[in-house]
Amino acid sequence: MTSSRDNISTIAVIPAFEEAGAIGPTVRRLPREVVDHVIVVDGGSADTTAAEAEAAGALVIREGRRGYGRACARGAAAAGALGADIVLFLDGDGSDAAERAGDIVGPVRRGEADLVLAHRSAAGRARASMGLHQVFAGWAFGRLIGLMTGTTYRDMCAFRALRLETLERLGMTELTYGWNLEMQIRAAAAGLRIREVPLPYGRRRNGHSKVAGNVCGTLRASAQLLAVFVRFWRARRAHRARPT
């Protein structure tokens, strides 16, 4: 299936784990003049996430193993099998401005950028939609990437789009919450044309965050992000230290 506007197929990939009450509205809010198909990768939910996603019109892939990056990779592979040119990633909790998908996909579709990410600016964030540690993490890692690659990010939002062939060239390997950070590091290191678009960001529609909803989740995700960054930092230092 391709958009009526052109011959470029865009498929949305939504990794989800126990997002009942939020996943259905998230799928429905995606504009079908922008997104041709929606894939929800359910990481073993015990609630009605899968059923609600299917009822909303999404193709549901049941992934028995947990892992945010694993779900994203599985969804991207399925999108490729369906003929996707562009892959749009977003979360399933309803916080991303899914109805504004065109703002993320458009620059990629028009060839103006290789990777487009939403920027959850202070002016556009709903009250209590993000914890201070989330805001700080996006700011801090964005600047650390800048120190390492020369490209600085303002945020680390999951709402992003790129061509499938670009994603494949990046060679993603991270299977945890470090997927988004890895993508941003690899994109910057590869010299991709990167654009961040300020968009609204709301509170999750239902349930609680697996990352920010409790101390253990926050610490686990933070450790994963730090491990990803340190791995790339060491790899770049080792590469520069090699004799020419």
Side-chain angles (χ1 to χ4, degrees):
M1 182 186 298
T2 56
S3 168
S4 59
R5 287 188 173 189
D6 48 43
N7 293 321
I8 300 174
S9 172
T10 300
I11 295 181
V13 171
I14 307 176
F17 177 70
E18 298 189 347
E19 297 292 3
I23 190 65
T26 298
V27 172
R28 294 187 183 95
R29 285 165 60 202
L30 286 165
R32 292 313 173 94
E33 68 272 17
V34 175
V35 174
D36 299 292
H37 203 73
V38 182
I39 296 173
V40 171
V41 183
D42 180 14
S45 300
D47 60 8
T48 58
T49 294
E52 291 181 22
E54 288 179 337
L59 168 65
V60 175
I61 297 175
R62 290 170 173 80
E63 171 58 66
R65 296 170 295 175
R66 297 282 300 277
Y68 181 87
R70 176 179 282 111
C72 288
R74 180 81 185 274
L82 291 175
D85 297 295
I86 296 173
V87 181
L88 171 72
F89 294 99
L90 70 157
D91 284 339
D93 61 9
S95 56
D96 292 320
E99 67 280 359
R100 299 282 296 274
D103 292 21
I104 301 295
V105 173
V108 178
R109 175 174 282 164
R110 295 190 296 269
E112 299 169 358
D114 300 311
L115 172 63
V116 179
L117 310 95
H119 170 220
R120 299 168 291 188
S121 62
R125 291 196 301 264
R127 185 176 181 181
S129 60
M130 292 179 68
L132 289 177
H133 63 286
Q134 292 174 283
V135 177
F136 175 76
W139 176 87
F141 279 108
R143 277 146 187 79
L144 286 172
I145 295 172
L147 291 174
M148 182 167 60
T149 67
T151 298
T152 300
Y153 293 91
R154 293 178 291 179
D155 196 6
M156 203 162 51
C157 184
F159 199 16
R160 55 187 62 197
L162 71 171
R163 287 186 176 272
L164 183 62
E165 61 182 7
T166 302
L167 177 63
E168 291 172 345
R169 287 201 308 270
L170 290 179
M172 299 286 293
T173 60
E174 187 61 39
L175 300 180
T176 70
Y177 283 110
W179 163 277
N180 289 331
L181 177 60
E182 180 191 14
M183 184 186 294
Q184 289 175 232
I185 293 173
R186 289 185 180 275
L192 298 188
R193 297 170 300 163
I194 300 165
R195 181 180 298 185
E196 289 183 282
V197 179
L199 285 181
Y201 187 75
R203 299 180 64 178
R204 64 167 31 252
R205 285 178 172 261
N206 195 39
H208 65 277
S209 172
K210 287 74 179 175
V211 176
N214 58 75
V215 174
C216 290
T218 297
L219 292 176
R220 183 168 55 250
S222 298
Q224 289 169 349
L225 292 176
L226 187 59
V228 171
F229 181 82
V230 170
R231 174 162 55 88
F232 277 92
W233 181 275
R234 287 177 174 171
R236 286 182 69 86
R237 288 189 63 184
H239 177 74
R240 290 174 179 174
R242 291 173 187 168
T244 57

